[in-house]
Amino acid sequence: MTPRCKGMSQIFICDLLIFIYLASTILTVSSSGDGYLHCESIMRNWVDSSIETKAHTNELILEDLLFFLHVPRTGGRTYFQCLLRKLYTSPQECPRSYDKLRLNPSKPNCRLMVAHDDYSLLSKLPKHKTSVVTILRDPIDRVFSTYEFSVEVAARFLVHPNLTSATQMSRRIRPKSHGVSTLDIWPWKYLVPWMRQDLFARRHARELGRFRKTEEMSNPYDVEEMAMPLQEFINDPIAHEIIHNGATFQVAGLTNNSYLEESHDVRNCVRKYPEFGHYVLEVAKHRLDHMLYVGLTEEHKKSANLFAELVGAQVISQSEALSSTEQETTNKTEPSFSSSDSADGQNQVEDIAGYPKKTEVPSPHDEPGRENMTVGKLMEAYEKCSSNLRKSQSTRRTMSLKKISPVNFSKKARRSVPASILDQIQYLNSLDVELYKHAQDIFRRQEKHVMQNDDNQEELQTSGCGSLFSCSAWKILSIIAFLAVIVLVILVTNRGRAGKLKM
């Protein structure tokens, strides 16, 4: 509001105040405009550096290194334990990189990288020799699952009632091993301590206040006496920073765990001017288009089959070729050796490749016989492994949530959440909603591709050819045999004529 003048004696002061007001308004608008233009420049430069103009012709061909970009709460652990670990040996896994500080890019001979790190990790990898795969999930379900897992893991720290704070708990329970724990992994290294502190605070408040009766708690996601309500969770600044549109920002390489120097500025611009979010979405879509495989959590059985067909078959083929090459090299350099030499040779390969030696002996479950692996056997192993994994996860969740009963998480319980909260989650994750739709289109194209390959294979088998190569070879042999018969007939005929002439 502009100042108003009263009387001629104040006209000079009034004019001065009006001038100052107008000048400040112009400067504010100019500054705001400059900020928008600056952000627009940042966004355009980032997009130009993120989208490759070079034509891709081999997206469906597995490269030397497979990078599984693990979006949290999409079922990626099941893929890692029950598919990838059936295909790759432990020495073939890259050093654990769930915490980016653990990544060692000086070890380039590994063949499998699995990480919660975002797409920017490729800046540390041989990009043109790396294939990327990922799994996406319906955004509303993923937010639910993120909330549930954060509460579940944090609740495990309530086992000692004499401890009064999360700080005391963290000092008491420090991992003695050098392994990677949940608290080392993004985003849980942010979400779990936050939720853990909240659980301790609510436990203290319960000792001082009145507790509602169980029958009054119709919504397990809104038991504020025991745990942070879902609505409070999704509206917290931490959720805005890490969770909402998290899949889009992870595929775009722009999480708060990014390797890109410009990621902080890009994220700030999107936060300040939400309309710039479409730039991030388009980059994420572009990257999905050029991945080797994109799975869907909701289509877990179909996704696993597609993974086995599109990725597993190629890993098996590569492993067979690699084994043949290594065997030929071994035969040339070491004509004969004992069983003890074989063990030493294996350790030597690990040292040369730069793989860390494992102190524990892998169990048969973790290290199945890969020399005879097929797509069919891979799926059989997946079914058994995933079933066991689901049972163990369910048991662990039940034990954790007992500490904060009547909090109870399930698909049935989710139906008690008001529609207004569901609408809010969808609104806050609008980029993820669009990216998921795009992933669904890609998934259908992958299904069609596999079906066409199956049909072609069936035609080859119907024609008596197990594969295109063997079919071609059989045709060539048939032609050669046919020509040989013709030549033989001609020779016999000519000899018969010659014998008649002599007579």
Side-chain angles (χ1 to χ4, degrees):
M1 177 180 290
T2 58
R4 290 180 290 181
C5 305
K6 294 182 179 181
M8 296 298 294
S9 61
Q10 296 181 353
I11 190 169
F12 176 76
I13 297 176
C14 186
D15 287 343
L16 180 61
L17 291 174
I18 291 174
F19 174 79
I20 293 174
Y21 171 78
L22 293 174
S24 63
T25 302
I26 293 172
L27 288 174
T28 301
V29 173
S30 176
S31 176
S32 176
D34 288 345
Y36 184 90
L37 293 176
H38 178 64
C39 276
E40 187 174 33
S41 175
I42 289 176
M43 297 302 299
R44 290 188 181 277
N45 289 336
W46 171 74
V47 171
D48 290 342
S49 64
S50 300
I51 295 183
E52 296 183 1
T53 55
K54 181 181 177 182
H56 292 264
T57 57
N58 61 342
E59 285 86 4
L60 298 180
I61 303 300
L62 176 64
E63 300 293 346
D64 297 338
L65 175 63
L66 179 65
F67 170 33
F68 179 31
L69 192 157
H70 183 182
V71 178
R73 309 313 297 166
T74 58
R77 183 186 175 195
T78 303
Y79 271 60
F80 177 54
Q81 295 285 354
C82 303
L83 286 173
L84 292 171
R85 278 197 161 175
K86 310 302 180 185
L87 293 167
Y88 292 93
T89 62
S90 294
Q92 290 173 329
E93 294 178 26
C94 298
R96 297 303 295 272
S97 61
Y98 275 108
D99 178 354
K100 69 176 183 178
L101 298 178
R102 297 176 181 273
L103 176 64
N104 187 347
S106 65
K107 299 177 179 179
N109 294 321
C110 54
R111 297 182 56 210
L112 173 65
M113 172 70 74
V114 182
H116 276 308
D117 285 314
D118 61 34
Y119 196 92
S120 65
L121 177 63
L122 260 69
S123 64
K124 303 293 183 181
L125 303 174
K127 188 172 182 179
H128 297 292
K129 294 183 179 180
T130 302
S131 293
V132 186
V133 299
T134 194
I135 311 171
L136 295 186
R137 186 175 188 176
D138 177 87
I140 294 179
D141 288 337
R142 199 178 77 84
V143 171
F144 266 105
S145 185
T146 302
Y147 167 76
E148 293 165 358
F149 188 71
S150 299
V151 174
E152 174 195 334
V153 177
R156 298 174 195 168
F157 290 85
L158 297 175
V159 291
H160 299 289
N162 58 316
L163 295 178
T164 59
S165 72
T167 303
Q168 290 180 348
M169 175 62 75
S170 61
R171 282 201 300 263
R172 177 165 180 166
I173 306 178
R174 294 303 303 169
K176 297 180 180 179
S177 66
H178 296 288
V180 180
S181 73
T182 303
L183 295 180
D184 293 325
I185 301 172
W186 182 92
W188 311 118
K189 62 183 178 183
Y190 298 109
L191 299 180
V192 172
W194 167 44
M195 190 60 63
R196 180 180 60 186
Q197 188 69 49
D198 182 82
L199 288 180
F200 274 97
R202 291 176 193 274
R203 185 177 70 176
H204 178 67
R206 287 197 301 273
E207 297 172 356
L208 305 175
R210 177 177 173 273
F211 190 68
R212 286 183 295 171
K213 295 181 179 179
T214 304
E215 56 267 21
E216 296 177 3
M217 304 174 189
S218 59
N219 181 3
Y221 293 85
D222 187 22
V223 187
E224 60 181 353
E225 293 90 343
M226 302 302 299
M228 181 186 297
L230 174 63
Q231 187 168 22
E232 182 180 339
F233 177 83
I234 64 174
N235 286 308
D236 194 279
I238 294 179
H240 285 272
E241 174 73 12
I242 297 175
I243 300 170
H244 299 316
N245 292 318
T248 303
F249 278 89
Q250 192 169 354
V251 175
L254 294 174
T255 66
N256 65 340
N257 199 42
S258 176
Y259 291 85
L260 299 179
E261 294 181 1
E262 64 269 29
S263 65
H264 179 73
D265 292 335
V266 174
R267 286 167 58 83
N268 281 342
C269 285
V270 175
R271 188 179 295 110
K272 190 174 182 180
Y273 306 105
E275 60 267 32
F276 286 142
H278 79 274
Y279 285 112
V280 181
L281 178 61
E282 291 308 312
V283 169
K285 286 182 177 180
H286 175 82
R287 287 177 171 169
L288 286 186
D289 287 335
H290 295 91
M291 288 187 182
L292 173 62
Y293 164 86
V294 177
L296 302 176
T297 305
E298 285 71 23
E299 303 268 11
H300 61 91
K301 182 64 181 295
K302 288 184 179 179
S303 286
N305 277 308
L306 279 176
F307 186 89
E309 295 280 356
L310 289 174
V311 183
Q314 294 192 69
V315 176
I316 294 170
S317 179
Q318 278 190 0
S319 298
E320 291 174 350
L322 186 62
S323 297
S324 299
T325 303
E326 291 177 348
Q327 186 63 43
E328 291 177 3
T329 303
T330 302
N331 291 339
K332 290 179 181 179
T333 56
E334 298 180 14
S336 62
F337 50 85
S338 64
S339 58
S340 59
D341 292 331
S342 177
D344 293 337
Q346 184 177 1
N347 289 334
Q348 184 179 3
V349 171
E350 292 180 6
D351 292 338
I352 293 174
Y355 304 131
K357 295 180 180 178
K358 289 191 176 282
T359 55
E360 71 277 4
V361 178
S363 66
H365 173 71
D366 291 331
E367 301 289 346
R370 295 174 178 80
E371 62 279 359
N372 297 318
M373 181 61 74
T374 64
V375 171
K377 290 181 179 180
L378 177 63
M379 286 309 301
E380 289 178 7
Y382 168 81
E383 292 289 348
K384 182 179 180 181
C385 172
S386 60
S387 176
N388 292 335
L389 200 58
R390 282 194 297 271
K391 290 177 182 178
S392 64
Q393 290 172 342
S394 177
T395 301
R396 185 177 58 185
R397 167 175 285 197
T398 300
M399 295 299 295
S400 296
L401 296 183
K402 277 184 178 180
K403 302 177 180 63
I404 52 175
S405 178
V407 174
N408 178 35
F409 301 138
S410 65
K411 290 183 178 180
K412 181 180 179 180
R414 290 182 186 182
R415 300 192 191 106
S416 63
V417 176
S420 58
I421 295 180
L422 301 181
D423 292 340
Q424 186 181 9
I425 293 175
Q426 184 163 0
Y427 173 76
L428 292 172
N429 291 272
S430 58
L431 299 181
D432 274 9
V433 169
E434 294 302 316
L435 187 68
Y436 185 73
K437 291 178 181 177
H438 191 69
Q440 288 176 309
D441 292 337
I442 294 174
F443 188 79
R444 302 308 167 206
R445 291 200 297 268
Q446 290 174 165
E447 281 189 307
K448 186 176 180 180
H449 174 78
V450 169
M451 289 177 63
Q452 288 176 343
N453 283 350
D454 290 342
D455 290 341
N456 292 337
Q457 198 71 10
E458 187 176 346
E459 289 179 6
L460 291 174
Q461 291 175 353
T462 302
S463 64
C465 307
S467 66
L468 183 61
F469 175 80
S470 61
C471 185
S472 299
W474 177 253
K475 287 181 178 179
I476 293 172
L477 290 174
S478 299
I479 293 172
I480 292 175
F482 178 72
L483 292 175
V485 170
I486 292 176
V487 171
L488 183 61
V489 170
I490 292 174
L491 290 175
V492 172
T493 302
N494 289 337
R495 285 184 180 180
R497 291 177 180 176
K500 291 180 179 180
L501 291 174
K502 290 180 179 180
M503 291 293 294

